[in-house]
Amino acid sequence: MPRKQSHATIMQQGVTHALECHRICEETITHCLQAGGKHVEAAHIQLLTDCADICRTAADFMVRGSEFHPAVCAVCADVCERCAIDCERFSGDEQMAKCAKACCECAQSCRQMAGALA
């Protein structure tokens, strides 16, 4: 029978995913600015920036054990899902695929934090 993960383990995974997504979104912003064209559309850059910021904020709230972390994690999951969808439209671009993957993983982790641990 599989052992259920502890609250601390789930929280640590959430922090890890959020910080990784923050880092990759920041790297992707630089990639997009260098690539030009559709990569630098204002809405796309803004979404990447929003995603990076909310991921860092969610990680901070989880680390502090803030009573508001479930609400922040729910917003983080929403933003990460939107960012993943937006990044996926750049088919054939390795960095964009990497960003979409990180966003999906963070969204899943944050949904768990927002729901199961609320």
Side-chain angles (χ1 to χ4, degrees):
M1 176 184 277
R3 196 168 64 105
K4 189 174 181 180
Q5 290 182 317
S6 71
H7 175 78
T9 300
I10 294 169
M11 182 79 74
Q12 183 55 50
Q13 288 173 347
V15 170
T16 299
H17 283 125
L19 291 175
E20 180 70 0
C21 191
H22 164 76
R23 182 184 66 77
I24 291 173
C25 283
E26 289 289 343
E27 289 174 358
T28 303
I29 291 167
T30 300
H31 169 78
C32 289
L33 293 173
Q34 292 170 348
K38 290 185 177 187
H39 284 77
V40 293
E41 291 173 349
H44 177 64
I45 296 295
Q46 184 174 1
L47 185 54
L48 284 165
T49 303
D50 287 349
C51 192
D53 285 351
I54 195 64
C55 287
R56 185 183 56 228
T57 299
D60 289 348
F61 273 61
M62 286 185 273
V63 167
R64 284 195 301 268
S66 171
E67 68 180 287
F68 301 106
H69 87 266
V72 172
C73 286
V75 172
C76 185
D78 289 345
V79 174
C80 284
E81 287 169 359
R82 290 269 306 276
C83 194
I85 290 166
D86 201 48
C87 287
E88 286 171 348
R89 71 185 170 102
F90 295 90
S91 61
D93 186 314
E94 187 178 325
Q95 181 64 37
M96 302 310 289
K98 182 178 173 182
C99 190
K101 182 178 185 283
C103 288
C104 286
E105 289 172 353
C106 186
Q108 182 180 12
S109 185
C110 278
R111 284 266 177 251
Q112 188 175 16
M113 294 301 301
L117 303 176

